[in-house]
Amino acid sequence: MMDTTAPRPGSLKVGWIGAGRMGAAMASRLARAGEDVTVWNRTRAKAEALTEVGCAVADTIADLRGHDVVFTMVSTPADLEQVLVGEGGLLADPARVPAVVVDCSTVSTESSAAMRAACSERGVAFLAAPVSGNGKVVRAGGLSLVVSGPEETYERVAHLLDHLGKGATYVGEGELARLAKICHNVMLGVVTQCLAEITVLAEKGGMSRAAFLEFLNKSVMGSVFTTYKTPAFVNLDYTPTFTPILLRKDFDLGLAAARQLDVPMPVAAATNAAVQASVSSGRVEEDFAILLDLQAHNSGITLKPENVQVDDGLGGGPDQ
Amino acid sequence: MMDTTAPRPGSLKVGWIGAGRMGAAMASRLARAGEDVTVWNRTRAKAEALTEVGCAVADTIADLRGHDVVFTMVSTPADLEQVLVGEGGLLADPARVPAVVVDCSTVSTESSAAMRAACSERGVAFLAAPVSGNGKVVRAGGLSLVVSGPEETYERVAHLLDHLGKGATYVGEGELARLAKICHNVMLGVVTQCLAEITVLAEKGGMSRAAFLEFLNKSVMGSVFTTYKTPAFVNLDYTPTFTPILLRKDFDLGLAAARQLDVPMPVAAATNAAVQASVSSGRVEEDFAILLDLQAHNSGITLKPENVQVDDGLGGGPDQ
Amino acid sequence: MMDTTAPRPGSLKVGWIGAGRMGAAMASRLARAGEDVTVWNRTRAKAEALTEVGCAVADTIADLRGHDVVFTMVSTPADLEQVLVGEGGLLADPARVPAVVVDCSTVSTESSAAMRAACSERGVAFLAAPVSGNGKVVRAGGLSLVVSGPEETYERVAHLLDHLGKGATYVGEGELARLAKICHNVMLGVVTQCLAEITVLAEKGGMSRAAFLEFLNKSVMGSVFTTYKTPAFVNLDYTPTFTPILLRKDFDLGLAAARQLDVPMPVAAATNAAVQASVSSGRVEEDFAILLDLQAHNSGITLKPENVQVDDGLGGGPDQ
Amino acid sequence: MMDTTAPRPGSLKVGWIGAGRMGAAMASRLARAGEDVTVWNRTRAKAEALTEVGCAVADTIADLRGHDVVFTMVSTPADLEQVLVGEGGLLADPARVPAVVVDCSTVSTESSAAMRAACSERGVAFLAAPVSGNGKVVRAGGLSLVVSGPEETYERVAHLLDHLGKGATYVGEGELARLAKICHNVMLGVVTQCLAEITVLAEKGGMSRAAFLEFLNKSVMGSVFTTYKTPAFVNLDYTPTFTPILLRKDFDLGLAAARQLDVPMPVAAATNAAVQASVSSGRVEEDFAILLDLQAHNSGITLKPENVQVDDGLGGGPDQ
């Protein structure tokens, strides 16, 4: 996706709303690539921290209304609605709006469509651009995005998206990128349950989890995901990165889409039963990697941490 | 796994039995790394071709008996038995045997144990070292191995294994590496069926397979495997790399191991039903990627090739 | 559930709304048991036919407002709302309402709760009393009901419910009977898919479907359901009694309840994938017994009707 | 299968080997029907007890060699081989053999074929005739049999089989009856897991298990099996009638047959994962109805016995 005719850095004025862990890491990459980025965050200190890499700080969202492109990276659909169409929001003054809004948050198709409609009424182009990766993945340069909306808008901002990591993929009109992200998260659940099954099998067969997963990660089946999940599997560190309830929600969305589009999904359905059991276990404050513990329980064993230092493949220190 | 105190290249005399597509690519990597490699192959011409990269050619297997380490890379358990303990085989003369045999073939645990016992009787150390990857993966430097057997033997030859690609992982004594390889292939089946389900969902939702899979491959879920399988999924090229019957056999082995070790495997079992259906369809001469076609059929659609050039991530031209 | 102190037949004035195939068969059983039954049906002729067994005919629903108990047996939630709270409906005149409404239709929990609330506002007790069985089952005396609502109301009308067939079971307050019916229909789907799997296995093994299913029906696993479904399985008569779309709807409801109550349901989920595939096949106008055809297709065979006369266990002639 | 031209009772001399709980109940039914039955059992006292209903007692198996038909009802394939071809066995004297052997035990296809061959060599016709039901089912008249072997032999003894309960079904040549029995037991597992799922769903929804299962048993889905399993589900009485290990063995056989005959069985496979988990739980001395407990555990609840008297549908007192 390297665009050889990419515009000169800084040719577009970029606004950025949301400097949480993910948002800050992403805005930082844009600034380091030489783009002109102004950041607004509810807690101003987080935006201030980005001046180190060359970002400017906006006092209010209103300050971003005149920018060419404004990215949003917030936590919930409600936050997204607030920063766009709430009081003092980006679109609150019809006389002064940005040309393009690119939302990188993970929100529902419905919320995405509503924000697109709100943008459209005001002559603003809207791209749905959810991401694959967490903060540490961003810093390691591994983020990718999937984008839907008007193709000419995508082409206009593609060089910015490319700065964010491995690049973006345009999949079509409307909210298709939301469906792509749901498919991605269904795969995340299936792969994790599969890892749980084969890791417990390998362990009962006599291997250490560290050795087995090292092999798997180096094999053609290994991915950024299997690698950064390995420390949790080896040392049973279930500090949450993504909870069973969030994963179940994505399976709900995936299976609802499958229902609507008439696609039987036997392996996703079998995984969903395991995901549901992880919620039913009551361990809803832990990482969804507890699927491993449940698999071990169902196999009649109790796992112990191996207390081995394992590389998560992302370089640098811990994410949190 | 880079061993900083690796022996000087050429310090061990290496024999190589089996110069088929995989074996030739592997022996070639050893020779290019400066190792002293003598190759025997049933069809001598295939061994001759390796003189270009510096390999010597053995007239008979007997010529390899005095080598320090002999690798075997053959097609079937019967072939392995033939080259080791058959007439004129590597171990046929008790007075003259190599110190170490490293078998990289994919054979059953039983066959592996039998060959280990045969080696043991003659004072030869045996490593089971099955691989992850195909010929093209080897050439792209992406091969990995999983190894079991005596640990000191593993350490003695580890620098050779590292030349073969991304390196090897030692998982323990005996035939554990065979189980690890089976687990790997179960994951291969699960991931392929999962890809089939979400790709058909994405397509019925309105995406092209090329765009959806490009996103997935760049995402944290993407692997060498998902990337090199993408051309088949996009263009419906089902030229066999691995057939439904071979995949079913690995599921048979995986589920038998699960049965023996008392590990319930719901997602592997759901996948196995799809794999069985691919065999039952009668399309047993095609690639197991026909799982995509079956998923599409079950979803009420017939796929068409997208006729898009897709990078398989392995560089260079086609494998066959 | 035989109540030895059952009231004398005729001690309650019974109204009956809905004389379709099921409703007529049920009202008929009440009348034959000596109860005083007045029937209203949109198409009056169907009500008239019941005078033969001693029912009276109501000109309007309003004529039933003064009855002690009014049963409703209609096709859809909309019909139920119409006959209860629509113009000219049973509850349209607050000054004149029956004491009890017993709804035997299959409606959603939401619709049931709304009708209960409407009854409650007018001082009318409401029982949810969905049934298990079709018209032919009713005539064979095999109908059963599951009931929820006020327990004293249930006790007051239990002797009437007992006349309808094998009797009713009271499961608790509110709309619990609707959940029980959904569970029942999930089992119906699971059992049918299981029958499809083992019947195809038996056939590929060399048995006729007629012989295999005769054994199964006589075995401890046999049920009224497996027996009356056998002619369809043997002779591939897929005249609809219940369509794939209706079954999928019940699985939707069952899996939604499971989601809400945090119950993982792996076997129901696996069945749901098969049910979804039956819808995706496009054969949505046929009976859901096409699950057998799909199973055969997935097993690489095409079934042929055996053209054997098979007893459906319900006696008498065909239902339609 | 009522044969209107059934021979007069007593026209065939019947031998019976095996007077355990099942065998005694079955021989007793034959005798009560007026047949001439001579019983041999390793522990003679059990045979003696049958003189009450008119059976004679054999001192040795040799005493039965001259009978027209000899039934075998023993515990294991080894027992069957012992009583037929072991020292002093029924077939030990080539000069004196019965005309027909009917084996009602549950043995593997291989063992059955071996015994058929042994019979055949000696000119003895052999019927495989496994049963559906337990001792209590026999006494309640509910036993059924599935039979394979020479059809003319089946016809010769069909009137005897009919005395045993609900009658027998002939499914074809060879060992087909063994496959039919395995299919039956797969259904038994699927139905039990399905019951576990929907019963826990109903309980979490607010129903008592007793009420829910009473409804289900009266419904068209109810079977002799669901009814006699209900006390265990309601009162959590897991006194073994059939253990998790035995059920897993039948699933092993069923899935192996499916593999051999190329039949994908997604619902049986999903059930098998639950059955395997019941074995892995270590509760292998209890009844396989612990599937209910495991389902409850996976749903985040712990069941309590309801301590309600529940009819098992078989009449009379407890079976053991």
Side-chain angles (χ1 to χ4, degrees), chain D residues 33-49:
Chain D
E35 299 295 345
D36 172 5
V37 184
T38 307
V39 179
W40 178 87
N41 193 64
R42 196 176 300 166
T43 307
R44 189 185 165 101
K46 291 188 182 174
E48 299 280 2

Side-chain angles (χ1 to χ4, degrees), chain B residues 80 107-120 126 128 174-175 178:
Chain B
L80 182 61
V107 300
S108 67
T109 296
E110 289 69 27
S111 175
S112 185
M115 291 305 97
R116 180 181 307 282
C119 284
S120 186
F126 180 83
E175 317 316 324
R178 306 299 182 185

Side-chain angles (χ1 to χ4, degrees), chain B residues 248-249 252 258-266 269-270 272-274 276-277 279-280, chain D residues 248-249 252 258-266 269-270 272-274 276-277 279-280:
Chain B
R248 182 180 62 172
K249 187 182 147 205
D252 286 348
R259 167 64 177 75
Q260 193 191 338
L261 295 167
D262 279 341
V263 176
M265 296 185 72
N272 186 49
Q276 176 58 63
V279 172
S280 302
Chain D
R248 183 180 60 172
K249 189 182 145 204
D252 286 347
R259 166 68 176 73
Q260 194 192 339
L261 294 167
D262 278 341
V263 177
M265 296 184 72
N272 186 48
Q276 175 58 64
V279 172
S280 301

Side-chain angles (χ1 to χ4, degrees), chain B residues 143-285:
Chain B
L143 195 78
S144 62
L145 302 94
V146 58
V147 187
S148 61
E151 190 162 12
E152 66 277 12
T153 307
Y154 166 69
E155 278 161 13
R156 192 166 164 207
V157 304
H159 65 290
L160 298 177
L161 302 179
D162 284 344
H163 293 323
L164 295 174
K166 288 188 191 168
T169 304
Y170 177 75
V171 293
E173 298 291 322
E175 317 316 324
L176 279 179
R178 306 299 182 185
L179 178 58
K181 177 69 189 288
I182 289 166
C183 288
H184 169 282
N185 279 11
V186 166
M187 182 168 177
L188 185 150
V190 170
V191 165
T192 305
Q193 175 60 21
C194 176
L195 282 180
E197 295 180 7
I198 60 179
T199 300
V200 168
L201 183 60
E203 173 156 358
K204 288 192 86 170
M207 283 172 253
S208 75
R209 297 191 298 277
F212 173 68
L213 290 168
E214 181 192 312
F215 158 60
L216 210 68
N217 288 331
K218 269 196 276 197
S219 83
V220 299
M221 303 313 302
S223 64
V224 171
F225 173 73
T226 63
T227 306
Y228 75 59
K229 219 63 201 166
T230 292
F233 267 47
V234 170
N235 295 322
L236 311 185
D237 174 2
Y238 297 131
T239 308
T241 61
F242 195 60
T243 65
I245 284 179
L246 290 172
L247 183 58
R248 182 180 62 172
K249 187 182 147 205
D250 284 341
F251 269 79
D252 286 348
L253 293 172
L255 294 174
R259 167 64 177 75
Q260 193 191 338
L261 295 167
D262 279 341
V263 176
M265 296 185 72
V267 164
T271 303
N272 186 49
V275 171
Q276 176 58 63
S278 74
V279 172
S280 302
S281 76
R283 297 173 61 181
V284 293
E285 308 289 333

